[in-house]
């Protein structure tokens, strides 16, 4: 192989120049905290990228694998005082170095044959779910497998849903529901809870039956061609509906539509739909419910429990936070005990938990250790992937339940 071209990294070289080598990214990088490898930090990868662009370092498989051994949680971007947009660098790095990577090419092929081929994926999910699927009425039985996300018997859930769920009481508007793959295949209770809660808040819920993957797995793995195809499909679908808002039971998916899509199409003519209009309508579900709470459109029954909260990476670093704590505090009887490192990634990261299982297990164990130390009975999470990841971490006696904040809040709504 001749010298590898680095067009995507070159196009984003201005971001590299912003880095001042302060090292603050070390303290928030989940993979660095587990093994202390400087190459896994934002600073370390930026030094390598600069060296490759300047010709001092030859692109190699070891560098490509460092790029892949990243959860893309983007805590490094949030903490960076210089404002380096690592979200632009890591996807570019993965795309340019894919020919050298031992895992990226495999992940691109897997994405093409799953989220990139909805009909094939649907047939595989139905068959595999019947054989290996878990009981949806027992969420604690869901476990990560060597194949990836666990499937529940009856997946995909989208096939079982209506297209319209009328508001309870006075309608405040129509909200589109982007399910997300994790909820559609592995966490149907999250979808049920989202629909119930939104209806209680006065929203008519619209569930487009032709919706597909939000594209986050392709975006995070630098598979731009597929990511744009998936994004275009969803944008055209949702843009043609009379909606005042769009949300999702998965913080990752609504972050893709609200944050990643505008970045993807920033330099392209996307006249067939309005990326910005869709981004403006995209809202974290807890914020929609939080507004209903502020306006007196929803109240909650009592629930006595000691809980702690794990913050979703995408809601924290891309969605400008969430309002789950506000909603939980409005439930009489709940005591919230904050854990250490509540915003540190749980170790899921989509395909990361499959391709880098050992590292993912260590990160999940660290998270659960912080949970145990609070003495909480329940740890609440913001995304289905976080729930599945923490459910499969090493357990101790009297381990707390792992539930979605959405599920608990919906169960207490009145």
């Amino acid at each position: 192989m001749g010298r590898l071209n680095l067009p995507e990294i070159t196009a984003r070289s201005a971001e590299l120049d912003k880095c001042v080598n302060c090292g603050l990214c070390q303290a928030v990088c989940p993979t660095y905290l587990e093994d202390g490898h400087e190459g896994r930090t934002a600073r370390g990868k930026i030094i390598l990228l600069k060296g490759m662009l300047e010709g001092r370092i030859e692109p190699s498989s070891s560098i490509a694998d460092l790029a892949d051994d990243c959860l893309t949680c983007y805590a490094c971007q949030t903490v960076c005082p210089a404002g380096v947009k690592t979200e632009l660098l890591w996807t570019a790095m993965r795309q340019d170095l894919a020919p050298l990577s031992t895992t990226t090419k495999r992940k691109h092929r897997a994405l093409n044959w799953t989220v990139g081929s909805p009909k094939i994926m649907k047939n595989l999910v139905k068959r595999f779910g019947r054989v290996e699927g878990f009981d949806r009425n027992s969420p604690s039985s869901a476990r990560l497998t060597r194949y990836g996300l666990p499937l529940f018997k009856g997946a995909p859930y989208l096939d079982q849903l209506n297209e319209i769920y009328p508001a309870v009481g006075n309608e405040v508007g129509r909200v589109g529901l982007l399910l997300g793959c994790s909820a559609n295949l592995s966490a149907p209770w999250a979808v049920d809870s989202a629909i119930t809660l939104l209806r209680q808040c006065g929203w008519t819920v619209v569930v487009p039956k032709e919706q597909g993957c939000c594209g986050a797995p392709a975006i995070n793995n630098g598979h731009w061609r597929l990511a744009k195809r998936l994004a275009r499909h969803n944008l055209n679908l949702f843009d043609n509906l009379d909606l005042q808002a769009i949300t999702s039971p998965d913080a990752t998916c609504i972050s893709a539509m609200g944050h990643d899509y505008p970045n993807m199409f920033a330099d392209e003519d996307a006249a067939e739909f309005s990326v910005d209009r869709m981004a403006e309508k995209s809202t974290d579900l807890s914020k929609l419910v939080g507004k209903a709470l502020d306006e007196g459109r929803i109240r909650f029954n009592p629930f006595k429990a000691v809980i702690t909260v794990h913050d979703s990476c995408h809601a924290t670093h891309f969605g400008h936070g969430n309002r789950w704590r506000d909603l939980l505090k409005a439930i009489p009887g709940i005591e919230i005990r904050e854990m250490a490192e509540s915003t540190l990634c749980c170790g899921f990261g989509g395909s990361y938990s499959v391709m880098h299982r050992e590292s993912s297990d260590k990160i999940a164990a660290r998270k659960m250790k912080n949970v145990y130390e609070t003495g909480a009975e329940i740890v609440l999470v913001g995304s289905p992937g976080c729930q599945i990841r923490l459910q499969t971490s090493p357990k101790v006696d009297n381990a707390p339940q792992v539930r979605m904040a959405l599920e608990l809040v919906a169960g207490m709504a009145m």
Side-chain angles (χ1 to χ4, degrees), residues 188-227:
W189 54 84
V191 181
D192 289 343
S193 297
I195 293 172
T196 297
L197 196 50
L198 290 166
R199 294 182 68 211
Q200 285 293 118
C201 292
W203 289 95
T204 289
V205 182
V206 181
V207 185
K209 301 289 280 185
E210 299 302 316
Q211 64 179 279
C213 173
C214 69
I219 293 167
N220 290 333
N221 286 294
H223 196 341
W224 287 107
R225 180 176 54 80
L226 175 59

Side-chain angles (χ1 to χ4, degrees), residues 50-193:
K50 285 183 176 180
M52 287 188 291
L53 288 183
E54 294 168 3
R56 294 181 289 103
I57 299 175
E58 190 69 23
S60 65
S61 293
S62 61
I63 296 176
D65 288 345
L66 277 176
D68 189 62
D69 191 359
C70 171
L71 283 151
T72 59
C73 67
Y74 296 116
C76 53
Q77 178 167 287
T78 298
V79 77
C80 180
V84 178
K85 290 189 175 182
T86 55
E87 62 179 298
L88 302 179
L89 293 176
W90 303 163
T91 52
M93 190 177 184
R94 286 180 172 183
Q95 188 169 1
D96 281 350
L97 299 183
L100 300 176
S101 172
T102 58
T103 53
T104 299
K105 286 186 289 186
R106 280 188 290 154
K107 287 199 287 187
H108 283 197
R109 284 196 296 269
L111 287 168
N112 287 335
W113 284 97
T114 53
V115 297
S117 305
K119 290 182 180 179
I120 294 175
M121 182 178 178
K122 184 175 178 179
N123 288 331
L124 290 174
V125 163
K126 284 186 172 182
R127 294 179 183 179
F128 193 75
R130 282 195 294 266
V131 177
E132 298 286 344
F134 67 89
D135 180 1
R136 63 157 293 176
N137 295 316
S138 179
S140 63
S141 66
R143 291 288 183 269
L144 282 173
T145 70
R146 63 190 178 94
Y147 304 104
L149 283 174
L151 305 175
F152 73 94
K153 287 179 169 52
Y157 198 39
L158 185 60
D159 286 356
Q160 304 174 37
L161 297 173
N162 299 327
E163 290 194 21
I164 304 288
Y165 291 87
V168 175
N170 295 327
E171 184 187 74
V172 298
R174 287 160 51 93
V175 59
L177 193 66
L178 178 64
L179 264 64
C181 299
S182 295
N184 189 29
L185 306 179
S186 304
W189 54 84
V191 181
D192 289 343
S193 297

Side-chain angles (χ1 to χ4, degrees), residues 31-53:
T31 51
Y32 174 80
L33 290 173
E34 290 311 314
D35 66 8
H37 192 310
E38 175 69 13
R40 288 183 169 83
T41 68
R43 179 175 67 178
K45 288 199 283 285
I46 285 172
I47 290 172
L48 291 172
L49 288 172
K50 285 183 176 180
M52 287 188 291
L53 288 183

